[in-house]
Amino acid sequence: MSERGALLASGKVRDVYALDDERLLLVASDRISTFDVVLPTPIPDKGRVLTGLSAFWFARTREIVPNHLLELGDDGRSTICRRLEMLPVEMVVRGYLSGSGWVDYQANGEVCGHVLPTGLLESQQLPEPIVTPATKAVEGHDLNIDEEEAAALCGSDRYLQARDAALAVYRFAARHAQERGIVLADTKLELGVDSGGRVTLADEAVTPDSSRFWPRDGYRPGGPQPSFDKQFVRDWCLATGWDRTYPGPELPDDVVAGTRARYVEAFERLTEIEFDAYLADPKVVL
Ligand code: Q0Z
């Protein structure tokens, strides 16, 4: 992998380049965001943890859903992907009641048109996972929509295929994570359509940046749960008196090291592969 191609899109913590008409290069940085602000201090290897986890899930779910992954880079933080026609909605799969799902449930007992049982607690497991689509807003914040609106935007047949694919990936990953001590509360998946018309999983898959990972030990519904990866850095930032606006505080070495250790622990628990083995040869996750 030598040519990067032209920058196609830039996110808060990663970039996508166009290699040619059929292929993209995704590069994950070590930047970390909290409360929607990118902090000035990177977390070493965070981009590698996320790229490795994503590739791990793509490799393990390829029989369930086709995906865009073509090649994992030797640097451990870049992937070459099949260029797709992306669906205009993100698929959030929720197995637990948290974040905007909890906010919406408290307001009217529904989440994106899914009528839920009464009396559920914050962070409680739902009777069944639900798909709550969202439109991609230009700057960060996504707008939750119901499945009828999503079907209108995607075409109903495509929407139903994408919904089934997203649910299947969530169920696989949530069970895998649960068995390894991590609750996968929810995950945001992006799907597209390949040149043959197949609905295909794209972007990053089931990483801490696109999902809520909670430690299974200490999970207790009835309030918010600590984030497996970011709680440490969030708590430290707030303890400085930071008001959650740009710019965020610079992180001291011990907070950087502690946060890195949590990302690496999530990687190792989920993949059962030593992170050092991934650094030596990223293809071990495939
Ligand atoms: C995903 C994004 C990122 C910023 C474009 N396989 C694909 N085919 C077509 N388009 C995409 C993909 Cl992955 C695509 N994004 C989201 C990724 C930085 C925005 F790394 N943009």
Side-chain angles (χ1 to χ4, degrees):
M1 259 190 258
S2 50
E3 294 299 317
R4 283 212 145 180
L7 184 65
L8 190 76
S10 203
K12 283 204 292 271
V13 302
R14 61 214 179 95
D15 298 303
V16 53
Y17 301 84
L19 291 177
D20 53 45
D21 288 349
E22 280 93 44
R23 298 176 314 143
L24 301 178
L25 178 71
L26 265 57
V27 184
S29 75
D30 290 338
R31 293 191 289 275
I32 184 169
S33 79
T34 184
F35 305 111
D36 282 327
V37 173
V38 177
L39 299 179
T41 317
I43 304 300
D45 294 324
K46 171 176 174 282
R48 291 190 175 89
V49 166
L50 269 59
T51 300
L53 266 178
S54 232
F56 171 83
W57 294 119
F58 284 139
R60 272 143 196 86
T61 60
R62 52 181 291 184
E63 313 288 295
I64 307 176
V65 183
N67 65 68
H68 76 165
L69 179 64
L70 294 172
E71 194 180 328
L72 178 58
D74 289 331
D75 64 2
R77 66 170 69 252
S78 59
T79 52
I80 296 179
C81 307
R82 195 174 288 113
R83 197 169 184 168
L84 308 171
E85 184 198 315
M86 297 301 288
L87 296 183
V89 301
E90 302 171 338
M91 309 294 263
V92 180
V93 189
R94 301 171 189 270
Y96 294 75
L97 198 48
S98 180
S100 70
W102 169 241
V103 171
D104 293 352
Y105 175 74
Q106 284 176 289
N108 57 15
E110 299 184 14
V111 181
C112 296
H114 297 274
V115 179
L116 297 176
T118 56
L120 294 176
L121 302 175
E122 183 175 12
S123 308
Q124 190 168 345
Q125 188 171 21
L126 297 172
E128 293 290 335
I130 57 173
V131 172
T132 65
T135 55
K136 300 171 208 179
V138 188
E139 246 318 296
H141 290 256
D142 304 326
L143 181 69
N144 286 352
I145 57 176
D146 64 30
E147 294 198 280
E148 199 176 347
E149 294 171 277
L153 288 168
C154 300
S156 0
D157 205 58
R158 271 196 182 158
Y159 176 71
L160 292 177
Q161 286 176 40
R163 181 189 72 178
D164 289 352
L167 273 172
V169 170
Y170 173 81
R171 287 184 197 279
F172 176 89
R175 178 183 175 154
H176 181 97
Q178 181 72 27
E179 290 167 353
R180 289 156 186 84
I182 293 176
V183 175
L184 178 60
D186 51 46
T187 194
K188 178 173 80 185
L189 298 168
E190 301 227 25
L191 295 106
V193 180
D194 74 5
S195 56
R198 284 171 292 263
V199 168
T200 302
L201 188 60
D203 210 346
E204 59 177 338
V206 196
T207 70
D209 277 9
S210 63
S211 316
R212 286 192 176 88
F213 288 5
W214 297 334
R216 191 185 62 197
D217 288 350
Y219 164 68
R220 203 164 61 82
Q225 307 299 300
S227 152
F228 192 100
D229 46 295
K230 281 186 182 168
Q231 202 60 43
F232 185 64
V233 77
R234 280 182 194 153
D235 290 348
W236 185 86
C237 287
L238 292 179
T240 66
W242 178 48
D243 63 0
R244 306 185 184 189
T245 65
Y246 177 86
E250 304 221 27
L251 305 176
D253 290 352
D254 62 319
V255 174
V256 171
T259 304
R260 181 186 182 279
R262 283 161 174 81
Y263 277 97
V264 169
E265 186 182 347
F267 176 96
E268 291 185 335
R269 280 217 221 171
L270 290 170
T271 65
E272 301 176 292
I273 295 166
E274 285 195 43
F275 188 62
D276 281 343
Y278 178 74
L279 294 178
D281 178 14
K283 291 181 175 58
V284 293
V285 294
L286 298 178

